[in-house]
């Protein structure tokens, strides 16, 4: 089967699912009914389970809101520091570390909610439930405008479609490799979109010179290289989480340990991105620095 034919079959299958379900195939459980995220729509939850999970999610939202308030306050503090003619790196470091702590605290809240939800599910439900890494990707409009989130989610939905539908096809080894290439291409497009968007955004709001743009590209490139090994660890961690969820003998302690391990990896990535942020600020003039995005853009954006 050629790559072109494989793509055609996948498109036909996806189109068929659109007709049958009335929604996009990768988002079969879309909607905000009772505030449930899409990840919970396919579980055929009982009324009792729904009530318990609703309470857990409400508690998560309420506790998260307090952290978001602190994040917003820190953003204002950071803007003030960036507007000083002589940058106080020591004070800025304190604020950025506080932002990192806030982001990690959000992960911890999600972990607690996630484990509570998983414990409510039966074996069949748990086997198709997202891993914590997937669950924690419930998008936050606090960090990105809605239209950007929607574009990124479109990429993610296509990737999920390829994976889900590919599993239903009796593909040969060659066809599986073609499918992997399709998935890889979608990921490349997604990250290229994000990368170019960030560069265009920075260039536009800061009026960066060509020389500055080249320096920014270089530090971004170096950052991506440094992060590669961490993302490999994340992929392996996610694989292990999936195995635990699919196991007939579910082990909550092992899953919790893996989630804690993942959060530590994220903490390491944030530390790298903090360094990137400070390197970026050194490239700017004082006038540019006054208009620069704060550390949240770098911690969550790149």
């Amino acid at each position: 089967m050629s790559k072109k034919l494989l793509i055609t079959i996948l498109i036909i299958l996806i189109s068929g699912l659109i007709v049958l379900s009335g929604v996009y195939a990768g988002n079969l459980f879309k909607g905000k009914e009772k505030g449930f995220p899409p990840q919970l729509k396919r579980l055929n939850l009982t009324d009792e389970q729904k009530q318990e999970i609703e309470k857990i999610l409400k508690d998560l939202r309420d506790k998260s809101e307090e952290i978001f308030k602190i994040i917003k306050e820190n953003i204002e503090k950071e803007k003030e520091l960036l507007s000083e003619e002589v940058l106080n790196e020591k004070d800025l470091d304190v604020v950025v570390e506080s932002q990192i702590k806030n982001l990690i605290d959000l992960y911890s809240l999600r972990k607690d909610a996630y484990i509570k939800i998983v414990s409510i599910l039966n074996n069949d439900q748990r086997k198709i439930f997202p891993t914590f890494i997937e669950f924690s990707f419930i998008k936050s409009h606090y960090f990105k405008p809605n239209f950007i989130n929607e574009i990124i989610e479109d990429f993610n939905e296509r990737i999920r479609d390829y994976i889900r539908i590919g599993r239903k096809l009796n593909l040969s080894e060659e066809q599986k490799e073609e499918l992997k290439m399709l998935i890889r291409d979608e990921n490349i497009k997604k990250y290229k979109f994000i990368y170019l968007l960030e560069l265009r955004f920075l260039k536009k709001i800061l009026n960066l010179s060509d020389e500055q743009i080249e320096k920014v590209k270089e530090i971004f490139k170096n950052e991506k290289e440094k992060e590669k090994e961490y993302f490999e660890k994340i992929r392996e961690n996610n694989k292990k989480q999936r195995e635990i969820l699919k196991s007939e003998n579910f082990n909550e302690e092992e899953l919790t340990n893996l989630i804690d391990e993942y959060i530590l990896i994220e903490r390491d990535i944030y530390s790298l991105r903090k360094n990137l942020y400070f390197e970026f600020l050194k490239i700017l003039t004082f006038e540019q620095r006054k208009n620069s995005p704060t550390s949240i853009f770098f911690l969550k954006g790149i």
Side-chain angles (χ1 to χ4, degrees):
M1 184 187 298
S2 67
K3 181 176 179 180
K4 184 175 180 181
L5 181 55
L6 179 58
I7 294 173
T8 302
I9 290 174
L10 290 172
I11 291 173
I12 291 171
L13 286 169
I14 291 171
S15 301
L17 284 171
I18 294 172
V19 173
L20 289 173
S21 65
V23 294
Y24 187 73
N27 207 4
L28 290 173
F29 320 110
K30 188 177 180 180
K32 297 183 179 179
E33 179 186 353
K34 296 186 178 180
F36 272 31
Q39 292 94 328
L40 302 179
K41 295 293 182 180
R42 58 179 172 171
L43 300 181
N44 294 320
L45 298 168
T46 65
D47 289 340
E48 183 179 355
Q49 284 177 317
K50 287 180 181 179
Q51 290 174 2
E52 289 184 70
I53 292 173
E54 282 172 3
K55 290 179 182 178
I56 294 169
L57 292 177
K58 182 181 184 303
D59 184 57
L60 172 60
R61 287 192 295 270
D62 291 343
K63 290 179 179 177
S64 297
E65 189 58 37
E66 292 302 312
I67 297 177
F68 282 128
K69 287 180 182 178
I70 299 173
I71 288 175
K72 290 177 182 178
E73 290 171 1
N74 277 344
I75 287 174
E76 293 308 312
K77 290 180 185 177
E78 203 169 329
K79 285 180 179 178
E80 291 176 7
L81 288 169
L82 293 175
S83 296
E84 294 178 0
E85 189 165 356
V86 178
L87 182 63
N88 188 325
E89 292 191 16
K90 184 177 179 181
D91 287 351
L92 182 61
D93 186 80
V94 171
V95 177
V96 177
E97 281 296 327
S98 175
Q99 294 294 59
I100 291 174
K101 178 183 180 300
N102 291 326
L103 295 175
I104 296 301
D105 286 346
L106 286 173
Y107 271 120
S108 296
L109 287 178
R110 287 179 179 177
K111 180 194 78 171
D112 294 342
Y114 178 82
I115 292 297
K116 288 177 182 176
I117 292 173
V118 170
S119 68
I120 292 170
L121 305 179
N122 60 40
N123 268 4
D124 290 336
Q125 292 169 329
R126 191 164 48 244
K127 287 177 182 178
I128 60 173
F129 192 62
T131 63
F132 175 75
I133 294 172
E134 295 159 352
F135 181 83
S136 65
F137 284 164
I138 297 174
K139 61 192 178 211
S140 169
H141 296 310
Y142 177 77
F143 295 114
K144 293 182 185 294
N146 289 2
F147 79 94
I148 297 176
N149 270 325
E150 289 167 3
I151 293 172
I152 294 172
E153 184 61 17
D154 283 343
F155 282 118
N156 290 333
E157 285 175 353
R158 283 195 291 274
I159 291 167
R160 287 193 290 267
D161 282 335
Y162 285 149
I163 294 171
R164 188 168 59 87
I165 296 172
R167 286 172 180 166
K168 294 185 177 182
L169 298 176
N170 187 22
L171 300 177
S172 66
E173 289 303 313
E174 182 181 355
Q175 291 163 352
K176 288 178 182 178
E177 288 303 313
E178 292 286 0
L179 185 59
K180 286 180 183 178
M181 292 297 289
L182 290 175
I183 293 170
R184 189 201 68 171
D185 289 346
E186 286 298 324
N187 269 313
I188 289 173
K189 289 177 190 175
K190 178 176 71 173
Y191 291 119
K192 186 176 181 180
F193 165 77
I194 296 171
Y195 174 71
L196 293 176
L197 186 73
E198 287 158 352
L199 285 179
R200 286 197 298 268
F201 172 71
L202 291 173
K203 183 174 183 179
K204 183 176 180 180
I205 66 166
L206 301 179
N207 192 26
L208 297 175
S209 67
D210 290 341
E211 182 181 356
Q212 286 176 313
I213 281 291
E214 289 305 311
K215 289 181 180 179
V216 171
K217 285 182 178 179
E218 185 63 25
I219 62 172
F220 271 44
K221 179 183 176 183
N222 291 339
E223 174 64 22
K224 298 294 183 186
E225 286 298 318
K226 291 176 184 177
E227 289 184 12
K228 275 184 179 179
E229 64 176 285
Y230 291 101
F231 285 114
E232 191 59 43
K233 291 178 182 178
I234 288 174
R235 280 191 288 270
E236 185 62 28
N237 184 288
N238 191 63
K239 181 180 177 182
K240 290 177 181 177
Q241 288 186 37
R242 172 56 55 206
E243 290 171 354
I244 291 174
L245 291 172
K246 285 186 174 182
S247 173
E248 293 294 334
N249 299 311
F250 172 66
N251 189 315
E252 183 178 307
E253 183 178 355
E254 286 185 10
L255 181 61
T256 302
N257 289 339
L258 281 171
I259 293 172
D260 287 335
E261 178 185 297
Y262 164 68
I263 293 174
L264 287 176
I265 295 171
E266 285 291 343
R267 178 65 176 83
D268 289 340
I269 291 174
Y270 288 148
S271 294
L272 287 176
R273 291 180 179 179
K274 183 190 81 170
N275 295 334
L276 169 77
Y277 176 53
F278 278 83
E279 287 299 312
F280 172 77
L281 292 178
K282 292 176 183 177
I283 294 172
L284 306 181
T285 65
F286 169 56
E287 291 300 322
Q288 290 170 329
R289 177 165 30 94
K290 288 193 294 184
N291 297 315
S292 172
T294 60
S295 57
I296 284 292
F297 175 84
F298 292 84
L299 296 174
K300 295 300 292 184
I302 66 169

